[in-house]
Amino acid sequence: RWRNTDSKNNSHRGMALALSLHVLERTLNTTMQTLNKKTIGLLVCGLVLGFAHAATAATDEPNYRPLTISAEGGTTGLGGSASWRFSDNFGIRGGVNYFSYDTDLFTYSTRAPLETSDTEQKFKTTVRLLSEPLALDYYPSAKSSFHVSLGVLINQNRFQANVKGDGVPGSNFEINGTQYFQSAVNELDLEVKQQTLSPYLSIGGSIYFGKARHWALNGELGVAYTGSPKVSLTSPAQGGILDTPDLNSNTPFTDNLNAEAKSVAQDAKDFKFYPIVKIGVSYSF
């Protein structure tokens, strides 16, 4: 609900904070689109074929090699993992994933007094995906790489948006229903974080390139519970003249920022689950 208006025509054209969450959703969708439907379909079919091949392997071949290192990419970013299958039916796995995306393609509108057309101004958004998965893998069959994983993401995913005043005389920010001159506010910073510990459930497996079972193509499908995001909205103007009580008992600027952040957090409750889709290459020894 950040909005820009001019004191002349009181037109309320501007950027809503909800749009920032829409940017987050679009960015996540962009990440998901890197694995399109055909790719996911091929991955699922490949996993099924790989499981079938593993289940029918000859008895003189090794059922599995206990230690595996992997390079992978997907909706959690790019990264790697290491796993130890310490028994026929159980193993443990850990890794790290990272991806960062910046854009200034999104704009908001403002109109100067006596002007008949809007001025578009860019604002910067950043999505950072950073997580470290830790999981217990359960293998129903000693002769198959198929496994069900129960784990937790050490989740440091973050979404940030920065909006600066456009310098147009008479342009305002509207925050929690109160209008402030952009020249007084200067800029606004929005930050959205997911909960630090995010449990997840997934399935996965490998398609081996040879009977020795060293190199393999891996896949994982699952979902993580990331909870209700934490939202903060700040400005360099906090603690200044805008927070000084006046005779009209107007709400202090910081209180309005906090109220606006709570409103965004309420809207952000829809982002409680995060899809996990990964594909990678591994070496076992």
Side-chain angles (χ1 to χ4, degrees):
R1 296 193 182 95
W2 301 342
R3 293 194 287 185
N4 298 273
T5 183
D6 60 76
S7 58
K8 189 81 173 178
N9 56 26
N10 198 31
S11 63
H12 295 299
R13 296 192 176 190
M15 183 191 73
L17 283 179
L19 178 59
S20 298
L21 294 175
H22 176 65
V23 174
L24 173 60
E25 182 180 21
R26 287 187 57 181
T27 305
L28 297 181
N29 287 339
T30 300
T31 305
M32 287 293 292
Q33 288 170 3
T34 60
L35 294 172
N36 57 34
K37 294 181 179 179
K38 291 183 179 180
T39 304
I40 295 175
L42 290 174
L43 173 60
V44 173
C45 292
L47 290 178
V48 172
L49 292 175
F51 303 155
H53 172 74
T56 58
T59 56
D60 59 345
E61 297 176 7
N63 289 332
Y64 60 85
R65 295 185 180 275
L67 299 176
T68 300
I69 54 175
S70 304
E72 58 196 22
T75 56
T76 56
L78 302 176
S81 65
S83 63
W84 175 35
R85 187 169 175 175
F86 55 83
S87 72
D88 288 346
N89 299 109
F90 291 97
I92 55 175
R93 180 163 45 96
V96 61
N97 297 282
Y98 174 81
F99 179 75
S100 182
Y101 177 73
D102 298 320
T103 180
D104 59 359
L105 297 179
F106 301 95
T107 62
Y108 69 97
S109 301
T110 186
R111 182 177 296 181
L114 304 180
E115 294 291 334
T116 59
S117 60
D118 293 340
T119 299
E120 299 291 335
Q121 179 166 338
K122 295 180 178 181
F123 67 95
K124 181 180 179 181
T125 61
T126 300
V127 174
R128 185 195 72 179
L129 303 179
L130 175 61
S131 61
E132 295 84 32
L134 301 172
L136 175 67
D137 299 327
Y138 170 68
Y139 298 84
S141 171
K143 295 185 177 182
S144 175
S145 63
F146 172 76
H147 57 272
V148 179
S149 301
L150 180 63
V152 62
L153 292 178
I154 301 175
N155 191 341
Q156 299 155 73
N157 292 346
R158 181 177 301 172
F159 168 75
Q160 294 174 306
N162 174 267
V163 183
K164 294 185 178 181
D166 56 15
V168 177
S171 291
N172 298 341
F173 285 128
E174 184 175 299
I175 303 171
N176 194 37
T178 301
Q179 294 185 16
Y180 298 94
F181 285 118
Q182 288 187 11
S183 57
V185 174
N186 187 19
E187 64 180 288
L188 295 167
D189 293 289
L190 172 70
E191 184 175 70
V192 181
K193 294 181 180 179
Q194 295 176 322
Q195 66 181 26
T196 303
L197 297 179
S198 301
Y200 77 91
L201 180 67
S202 68
I203 60 172
S206 303
I207 303 172
Y208 293 99
F209 297 140
K211 293 182 179 181
R213 300 197 179 193
H214 287 298
W215 291 99
L217 178 68
N218 307 317
E220 185 176 8
L221 302 171
V223 63
Y225 177 76
T226 57
S228 298
K230 295 181 179 179
V231 179
S232 67
L233 180 61
T234 59
S235 168
Q238 287 179 262
I241 191 171
L242 295 181
D243 275 327
T244 303
D246 58 23
L247 297 178
N248 297 323
S249 299
N250 289 338
T251 303
F253 177 63
T254 298
D255 290 349
N256 277 327
L257 284 178
N258 293 337
E260 193 71 48
K262 288 182 180 179
S263 178
V264 176
Q266 185 68 29
D267 295 336
K269 286 184 177 180
D270 293 336
F271 297 90
K272 289 185 178 181
F273 293 92
Y274 190 86
I276 296 175
V277 181
K278 294 182 182 180
I279 188 169
V281 177
S282 67
Y283 182 82
S284 299
F285 53 93

